[in-house]
Amino acid sequence: MIQYILRRCLYALPLLMGVNILTFVLFFVVNTPDDMARMQLGQKHVTEQAVKNWKHQHGYDLPLLWNQQEKASEKLTETIFYQKSIGLFLFDFGVSESGRNIGADIKQRMWPSLSIALPSLVVGLLVNISVALMMVLFRNSYLEFSSIVLCVVLMSISSLFYIIGGQFFIGKLLKLVPISGYDTGFSAIKFLVLPVLISVVAGIGSGARWYRTLFLEEVEKDYVRTARAKGLTETQVLFKHVLKNAMIPILTGVVVVLPLLFMGSLIMESFFSIPGLGSYTIDAINRQDFAIVRSMVFLGSVLYIFGLLLTDISYSFVDPRVRLS
Amino acid sequence: MHNFFLAIFILFLASCDVSQLNNPYSETEEDLSILYSSFSERPKHLDPAIAYSSNEYGFIAQIYEPPFQYHYLKRPYQLVPLTATEMPRVEFYNQQDEILSGVFDDQQITYTKYTITIKQGINYQPHPAFSSENLRLSLAQVEAINDLTDLPQQTRELLAADYVYQIKRLAHPKIHSPIAEIMKHYIVGFDAFSKQAKTLDKTAVKSLDMAGVEVLNRYQYSILIKGKYPQFRFWLAMPFFAAMPWEADAFYAQQGLKQKNITLDWFPVGTGPYYLSENNPNRRMVLTKNPNFHEEFYPDEGDTDDEKNGLLKDAGKRLPFIDKVVYMLEKETIPYWNKFLQGYYDASGISSDSFDQAVQFIGDGDAKLTDAMAAKGIQLQTAVTTSIFYMGFNMLDGVVGGDSEKARKLRQAISIALDYEEYIAIFQNGRGVPAQGLLPPGIYGFEDKQAGMNSVVYDWVNGQYQRKSIEQADRLMTEAGYQHGVDPATGESLVLYFDTTSVSVDDRPRMNWYRKQFEKIGIKLVIRPTDYNRFQEKMRNGNGQLFIWGWNADYPDPENFFFLLYGANGKVKHGGENAVNYHNAEFDLLFEQMRNMDDSEQRQQIIQKMQNIVRKDAPWVFGFHPKSFSLFHGWYQNLKPNLMANNRLKYTRIDAASRAEKRALWNHPVFWPLILALCLFILLLFPAVKAFKRRAKEIVQ
């Protein structure tokens, strides 16, 4: 197991380097350091000298990837790519183009993202599993048929509609919760009720149908027939045997998502004014703040790799047939 | 036991306050007067040497105090002392450093000296920078800090040296002040200072001298300007020229604070009526009343209608009236609008989606509130902004540019064809006034009605502007050699290229509108969508043909508009703000004459001549001046639109009791749909349970 984990970590290094290079190239294909300077300096009275000063101050007056004019290793180190991207491997995210410490901002903003994402995941999981089990329990009946239709309808509705509709109905008409906003500590609960509810409802359609498929696969197996033949009730069969075996793919599907919960949901955070990492990233893209963009892409890649590793490890725990070597 | 728990539960429910469950504010207001507002984009900078956009000024104008400010009520806008005891003493010097007195020619002026005297006894907000031990924090002490309130706070008196220090900061290249390149042409010694400070730390400016800026004594300083530049007085009313204590730079430069985002750029230090007590740009920012704020009083005179409108009720009272201002981050307009209607924001703009809900236009074109808004006691305020949106012709272009009669008539024809009255009605919800020339209303030199009409594009009919007909535009096209819009060189419709950054799906109707306007005179308009950076590049290189741009006044002087067409400001040749690269020798001469004149009949006449020149040459299609529509709840008082001043907060007042009453009235939670849904759910359970029991009894196949 340890060897496997170490090997996976080593594989991650060239992967992350590739992600870094790709992010860098894609960003600077669209934006030049001149463009970034003008974005930061504003629209009025921006002269060429001011742009030059800004670039020099922020280290963007170097070549992008290769410095022909330098000698030896400085051909590589005296470049924008090296100066801006290497620190990431030490998780030194540096400072944004507007002068804020990125690490401090990430530490502050990840908790609001998590405060929506985690309850949404847990509650959503419970609801989806319950609805899926109910559909399997009443399979081949009108109840199942109408549930499937309802799930398809729920899947077809845009998440934006859920958000705006939810804010309108529950926040504006019924006045049960604040329409948007956030607070720290337990005071945040009243702000999270609506976004969590909307996340759960918006995810029922796809989630319930997916879990229904997993449960149906199990329900057709011989051991289930044997359990029924032994006289177990349908609920006992479903909850004691089917659910346990179907949990393997469910669990691994959830584990891979766990690290990414920190990254947040852009639309949800924008409409509910949640100061999370989703809105942090998109704001940085709009402002052409390369420092934040590369930090968030790197962080997302690390979390994704970590999530996949966790998935493999958790799989080996829940399925005794799987051994990591 | 069951009854006991039931009783506890009922008691718990009864003690819960179920009114205003949707209140987004968790703390109680107690006896404080609090204004609730919002921001959609976090400010990039709060350092007054760098900040230049309106969302940043919304904060720093309440915190930093330049020596002068605009009178809150009087129009036209006029400057009055703020921290200064009086308006600056202005002296003119010739080349021999002799003071010029009596009658003299402006050509004789080599330098202008502004001497400013500061009021005594003005103190800064409480801040740890003013304690000398906080300027030598150890790494361990810095590590323990989460907030500035973790350190003891002190204050000190405002000095003339603080204003001089700020001017030096403007010149430091590492600060990247956006006005550095402008000021180096005006302030004596600015450029040399900038070169000297280039390699030094920001805090080093304290001990360096700038030739043209001098501390005369504890409360007096002077600034030496090259030549005559009367508009400099307006710059002295902007936060760029506010006071900055050297201790602030020294404090924030300490190692470790930057890693915690504790910097001058995020935690300003000023003498203003408010200080930034909470700065979480990811969620909310809070301005709190400065306990050390000096004496300042509500104006006791204004315009003729101000007393009738209740704007002099608080005349002579000490400022500010509001104790706290809470700005919440609100990125989307829908939740923001709904919270305004619920009374949780005290003021709001009006987005296009909500416009018809809020405003209706009555017969004579005036706007008034809808009945629903009026019933809530909401007030509407409109004001024509001191800005202009225009379509520019690149005067370096071979087809639309140049000084030939052919090109001029083409531009004039297009000016007639582009029906901006229609544009305003369709795309601006009527929120705009068609422009007759460079100057918007409120700027000296603007003339109303027939005297201010653009006679190239309009006729005066029945006491109103009437756009000339398309037939007249066609006639101009024919005179230009493009009969029915046909280019004689190709035998087909004349093709013109329009570079624009309006590339989203929402902008398509606007682009189609432009296309149709040009089609009226037979021109084929090709839209070239591009991103902002490529657009800027095209402007710098002179590769665009037609484009849309705008300008918002820095200060209320016509020079700030006419310089946009001054030849020496050409964008391609000189990197200036003249984006159309217009050059007319007569116009340039008049501009050089007009720009330094005091307001007078002679200046007015020169301005009208310049207006007529550009109307005839038509380097711009003078589009429109936007009109701002703002909504305020009835409990928000002392509001008068002031497009120049950003420090209006101190004059305004909140009737907190009225607001609390209205909020309680408007925000009763509605429970019955939930109860109904629960009952329906329970009802649906019965057939489900029945079906389950039946299935359980079935024989397994």
Side-chain angles (χ1 to χ4, degrees):
Chain A
M1 167 86 82
I2 304 292
Q3 275 182 354
Y4 177 80
I5 292 170
L6 278 172
R7 200 165 62 241
R8 287 290 295 268
C9 290
L10 286 171
Y11 287 163
L13 289 174
L15 202 63
L16 289 171
M17 182 59 84
V19 164
N20 253 350
I21 293 173
L22 198 61
T23 311
F24 184 87
V25 167
L26 285 174
F27 187 90
F28 283 101
V29 158
V30 179
N31 306 292
T32 62
D34 270 20
D35 299 338
M36 292 166 65
R38 287 178 194 284
M39 184 60 81
Q40 293 299 322
L41 291 170
Q43 296 189 25
K44 276 188 167 182
H45 307 302
V46 178
T47 61
E48 286 304 313
Q49 189 58 47
V51 169
K52 259 190 206 156
N53 288 343
W54 188 92
K55 280 178 5 184
H56 179 71
Q57 180 72 15
H58 287 81
Y60 285 106
D61 55 350
L62 297 170
L64 287 177
L65 286 165
W66 187 255
N67 193 337
Q68 196 58 40
Q69 286 167 357
E70 294 295 334
K71 298 184 179 63
S73 62
E74 284 177 356
K75 283 183 188 288
L76 181 63
T77 59
E78 289 298 309
T79 59
I80 295 176
F81 176 74
Y82 186 87
Q83 307 267 335
K84 299 289 178 187
S85 300
I86 288 304
L88 291 177
F89 288 92
L90 301 169
F91 289 93
D92 174 13
F93 298 117
V95 164
S96 71
E97 310 305 357
S98 58
R100 282 184 70 86
N101 184 274
I102 298 174
D105 270 346
I106 289 176
K107 272 186 213 152
Q108 193 183 41
R109 294 183 79 132
M110 68 183 186
W111 302 112
S113 288
L114 206 59
S115 67
I116 293 188
L118 201 55
S120 299
L121 179 71
V122 169
V123 174
L125 203 61
L126 287 170
V127 168
N128 290 343
I129 289 174
S130 306
V131 171
L133 280 174
M134 188 215 62
M135 286 161 75
V136 169
L137 186 64
F138 293 104
R139 61 188 177 282
N140 302 322
S141 72
Y142 284 111
L143 204 56
E144 191 205 20
F145 177 73
S146 49
S147 300
I148 292 173
V149 168
L150 184 64
C151 283
V152 171
V153 168
L154 289 175
M155 275 171 69
S156 310
I157 298 172
S158 157
S159 55
L160 202 57
F161 180 84
Y162 283 119
I163 292 170
I164 296 174
Q167 285 182 325
F168 176 76
F169 184 64
I170 299 176
K172 185 176 177 184
L173 287 186
L174 301 188
K175 305 181 186 75
L176 293 175
V177 289
I179 290 175
S180 65
Y182 188 74
D183 207 339
T184 49
F186 286 111
S187 309
I189 292 175
K190 67 176 174 181
F191 295 103
L192 298 176
V193 167
L194 189 53
V196 168
L197 180 67
I198 287 173
S199 292
V200 167
V201 169
I204 286 178
S206 53
R209 289 194 69 213
W210 166 238
Y211 295 141
R212 173 182 163 269
T213 309
L214 295 175
F215 294 145
L216 281 178
E217 262 184 40
E218 292 300 316
V219 142
E220 300 302 325
K221 289 188 174 161
D222 291 340
Y223 72 88
V224 173
R225 197 191 297 272
T226 309
R228 283 202 199 105
K230 282 166 76 178
L232 294 178
T233 62
E234 196 62 21
T235 40
Q236 281 176 315
V237 166
L238 279 177
F239 282 92
K240 261 182 116 173
H241 296 284
V242 170
L243 183 61
K244 226 192 255 182
N245 286 300
M247 279 308 285
I248 295 171
I250 290 173
L251 183 71
T252 50
V254 165
V255 168
V256 79
V257 156
L258 277 178
L260 293 172
L261 294 181
F262 288 95
M263 301 302 284
S265 156
L266 161 69
I267 296 179
M268 202 63 85
E269 288 175 13
S270 281
F271 272 87
F272 287 100
S273 296
I274 308 284
L277 288 177
S279 54
Y280 187 55
T281 311
I282 202 66
D283 285 348
I285 294 169
N286 286 334
R287 283 200 312 267
Q288 293 173 22
D289 195 323
F290 174 64
I292 297 177
V293 170
R294 58 124 164 94
S295 301
M296 292 308 297
V297 170
F298 180 82
L299 186 64
S301 310
V302 167
L303 290 173
Y304 190 66
I305 291 169
F306 182 62
L308 289 172
L309 180 61
L310 270 183
T311 306
D312 291 344
I313 294 169
S314 64
Y315 213 92
S316 73
F317 283 122
V318 298
D319 190 344
R321 294 168 295 179
V322 172
R323 280 287 170 262
L324 298 175
S325 59
Chain B
M1 185 59 113
H2 284 146
N3 289 342
F4 174 74
F5 282 119
L6 186 63
I8 296 290
F9 181 63
I10 291 169
L11 252 171
F12 172 73
L13 278 181
S15 64
C16 281
D17 180 10
V18 292
S19 69
Q20 296 191 62
L21 289 177
N22 62 343
N23 189 337
Y25 309 117
S26 43
E27 65 270 295
T28 51
E29 291 179 5
E30 292 164 356
D31 291 328
L32 293 178
S33 164
I34 304 180
L35 173 70
Y36 293 98
S37 185
S38 74
F39 60 103
S40 59
E41 190 190 326
R42 68 175 192 188
K44 276 194 251 170
H45 301 286
L46 295 176
D47 183 337
I50 309 172
Y52 204 1
S53 59
S54 55
N55 68 323
E56 292 160 355
Y57 271 23
F59 293 101
I60 65 169
Q62 325 309 325
I63 299 168
Y64 288 104
E65 291 191 304
F68 308 103
Q69 64 178 343
Y70 291 96
H71 194 283
Y72 182 51
L73 298 175
K74 285 185 179 171
R75 302 291 179 271
Y77 300 107
Q78 54 184 265
L79 289 176
V80 295
L82 175 51
T83 57
T85 55
E86 57 184 1
M87 293 307 289
R89 188 172 78 237
V90 183
E91 292 162 320
F92 302 107
Y93 290 80
N94 62 14
Q95 212 152 6
Q96 289 77 39
D97 288 343
E98 295 161 342
I99 290 185
L100 294 164
S101 56
V103 177
F104 54 86
D105 198 342
D106 282 354
Q107 304 299 323
Q108 293 176 267
I109 300 173
T110 307
Y111 301 109
T112 307
K113 188 176 184 180
Y114 290 80
T115 305
I116 299 153
T117 310
I118 304 299
K119 290 174 190 162
Q120 296 182 27
I122 296 177
N123 285 325
Y124 281 95
Q125 69 184 69
H127 195 275
F130 297 117
S131 162
S132 54
E133 47 196 59
N134 288 336
L135 298 181
R136 291 181 299 273
L137 296 171
S138 65
L139 281 174
Q141 283 175 301
V142 170
E143 197 51 46
I145 297 170
N146 289 316
D147 198 76
L148 288 177
T149 52
D150 293 336
L151 292 167
Q153 319 267 304
Q154 281 190 22
T155 185
R156 74 151 166 85
E157 192 186 14
L158 170 73
L159 302 172
D162 298 332
Y163 286 95
V164 170
Y165 181 74
Q166 170 67 352
I167 295 171
K168 290 193 228 175
R169 293 181 77 245
L170 294 177
H172 199 310
K174 287 184 182 169
I175 298 210
H176 303 296
S177 176
I179 67 164
E181 290 296 307
I182 301 172
M183 287 301 141
K184 82 176 188 189
H185 297 295
Y186 291 110
I187 300 179
V188 170
F190 194 95
D191 196 26
F193 183 91
S194 182
K195 291 183 170 100
Q196 193 187 1
K198 200 173 173 177
T199 53
L200 301 174
D201 200 54
K202 288 180 204 176
T203 50
V205 297
K206 179 173 179 274
S207 47
L208 291 178
D209 287 330
M210 188 187 291
V213 186
E214 194 185 346
V215 178
L216 300 173
N217 57 55
R218 193 174 165 84
Y219 302 108
Q220 232 180 15
Y221 68 103
S222 67
I223 306 172
L224 205 58
I225 300 295
K226 296 172 194 169
K228 188 182 179 191
Y229 182 42
Q231 290 80 16
F232 187 70
R233 68 191 193 277
F234 296 117
W235 287 104
L236 291 174
M238 293 175 80
F240 291 116
F241 288 89
M244 178 62 69
W246 67 268
E247 294 94 330
D249 266 343
F251 174 78
Y252 288 115
Q254 294 182 94
Q255 201 181 357
L257 287 176
K258 196 173 181 181
Q259 282 71 21
K260 290 172 175 267
N261 286 328
I262 299 177
T263 62
L264 180 62
D265 218 6
W266 292 101
F267 290 94
V269 186
T271 57
Y274 297 96
Y275 70 97
L276 200 58
S277 53
E278 184 181 328
N279 187 356
N280 181 355
N282 304 320
R283 187 172 85 86
R284 75 176 202 171
M285 299 171 74
V286 178
L287 290 173
T288 301
K289 195 196 275 195
N290 178 4
N292 300 335
F293 183 57
H294 57 90
E295 276 187 350
E296 190 180 346
F297 301 95
Y298 194 90
D300 50 16
E301 53 177 1
D303 280 350
T304 32
D305 286 340
D306 286 343
E307 184 153 15
K308 190 180 73 180
N309 295 334
L311 287 166
L312 288 174
K313 265 196 339 256
D314 286 320
K317 290 188 186 162
R318 184 146 179 206
L319 304 174
F321 303 120
I322 292 175
D323 298 309
K324 213 191 229 190
V325 187
V326 176
Y327 296 89
M328 306 296 293
L329 178 64
E330 205 69 69
K331 285 180 165 302
E332 299 291 333
T333 52
I334 296 173
Y336 172 73
W337 174 248
N338 287 324
K339 283 158 91 171
F340 168 72
L341 292 178
Q342 290 174 340
Y344 294 120
Y345 286 126
D346 300 308
S348 172
I350 314 177
S351 67
S352 303
D353 304 331
S354 322
F355 193 82
D356 291 334
Q357 192 184 346
V359 175
Q360 56 192 7
F361 284 97
I362 50 183
D364 53 0
D366 281 342
K368 81 177 197 91
L369 284 171
T370 56
D371 294 339
M373 294 292 119
K376 281 180 174 268
I378 291 173
Q379 320 159 53
L380 170 69
Q381 270 191 2
T382 65
V384 180
T385 61
T386 49
S387 49
I388 184 168
F389 280 92
Y390 61 90
M391 174 174 273
F393 298 100
N394 182 3
M395 298 299 279
L396 298 176
D397 181 72
V399 177
V400 300
D403 197 30
S404 66
E405 199 58 27
K406 176 178 178 167
R408 187 176 297 112
K409 285 188 192 282
L410 172 63
R411 295 193 297 268
Q412 289 175 355
I414 292 170
S415 298
I416 294 173
L418 284 184
D419 187 345
Y420 268 101
E421 286 79 12
E422 189 181 84
Y423 181 95
I424 292 165
I426 297 172
F427 300 109
Q428 301 289 122
N429 299 115
R431 288 181 279 188
V433 168
Q436 298 298 317
L438 269 165
L439 300 180
I443 300 294
Y444 181 79
F446 171 79
E447 287 202 328
D448 205 355
K449 301 199 168 39
Q450 192 174 9
M453 186 181 72
N454 181 355
S455 56
V456 171
V457 177
Y458 292 89
D459 291 317
W460 186 251
V461 176
N462 296 330
Q464 284 189 344
Y465 300 131
Q466 186 172 296
R467 186 172 285 275
K468 289 183 194 283
S469 64
I470 281 297
E471 288 72 33
Q472 284 172 294
D474 277 334
R475 210 173 306 132
L476 283 165
M477 288 292 286
T478 306
E479 288 169 18
Y482 301 108
Q483 192 174 22
H484 302 308
V486 172
D487 184 353
T490 61
E492 291 180 6
S493 293
L494 174 66
V495 176
L496 295 179
Y497 297 94
F498 177 34
D499 291 293
T500 176
T501 55
S502 303
V503 298
S504 72
V505 170
D506 294 336
D507 293 315
R508 270 197 215 136
R510 213 180 296 252
M511 294 304 114
N512 285 336
W513 182 86
Y514 276 114
R515 235 184 249 116
K516 283 185 184 146
Q517 299 303 296
F518 279 78
E519 270 170 20
K520 285 194 289 195
I521 48 176
I523 297 175
K524 186 179 173 193
L525 186 70
V526 174
I527 312 279
R528 294 199 292 207
T530 184
D531 62 63
Y532 181 70
N533 294 316
R534 300 288 86 72
F535 174 77
Q536 288 276 13
E537 205 180 310
K538 281 189 175 184
M539 292 299 107
R540 284 195 301 277
N541 298 332
N543 293 337
Q545 196 172 48
L546 302 175
F547 56 90
I548 298 281
W549 221 330
W551 178 259
N552 187 32
D554 285 319
Y555 43 79
D557 191 274
E559 179 265 352
N560 196 237
F561 282 88
F562 284 111
F563 93 117
L564 296 169
L565 290 176
Y566 179 46
N569 281 340
K571 194 166 268 294
V572 172
K573 230 173 161 179
H574 307 285
E577 298 288 349
N578 178 355
V580 292
N581 307 293
Y582 177 63
H583 173 62
N584 179 304
E586 189 189 356
F587 178 90
D588 288 351
L589 205 63
L590 288 170
F591 175 76
E592 285 158 8
Q593 201 180 344
M594 179 277 302
R595 66 180 165 184
N596 293 334
M597 287 175 78
D598 297 321
D599 293 346
S600 62
E601 185 54 40
Q602 190 192 2
R603 196 186 196 212
Q604 179 73 8
Q605 285 173 3
I606 294 174
I607 288 170
Q608 295 323 306
K609 270 193 205 155
M610 293 169 72
Q611 288 270 52
N612 288 332
I613 290 172
V614 293
R615 283 164 182 155
K616 185 173 168 232
D617 279 347
W620 289 2
V621 176
F622 300 102
F624 64 98
H625 308 297
K627 208 172 178 183
S628 73
F629 278 47
S630 306
L631 296 176
F632 303 95
H633 279 291
W635 56 72
Y636 192 8
Q637 297 160 0
N638 290 349
L639 292 160
K640 182 172 183 178
N642 189 321
L643 299 161
M644 286 294 127
N646 294 291
N647 62 344
R648 304 183 312 159
L649 267 180
K650 58 187 177 184
Y651 302 107
T652 59
R653 185 189 276 285
I654 293 283
D655 182 350
S658 166
R659 178 172 63 191
E661 193 188 311
K662 292 260 170 69
R663 276 186 186 171
L665 185 66
W666 296 340
N667 294 295
H668 285 300
V670 179
F671 291 109
W672 67 260
L674 280 186
I675 297 168
L676 182 68
L678 191 64
C679 293
L680 273 171
F681 179 71
I682 293 168
L683 276 171
L684 282 171
L685 273 179
F686 281 115
V689 168
K690 211 172 159 183
F692 171 71
K693 282 182 175 164
R694 189 179 60 238
R695 192 164 271 235
K697 286 184 182 140
E698 271 175 6
I699 296 166
V700 174
Q701 298 297 323

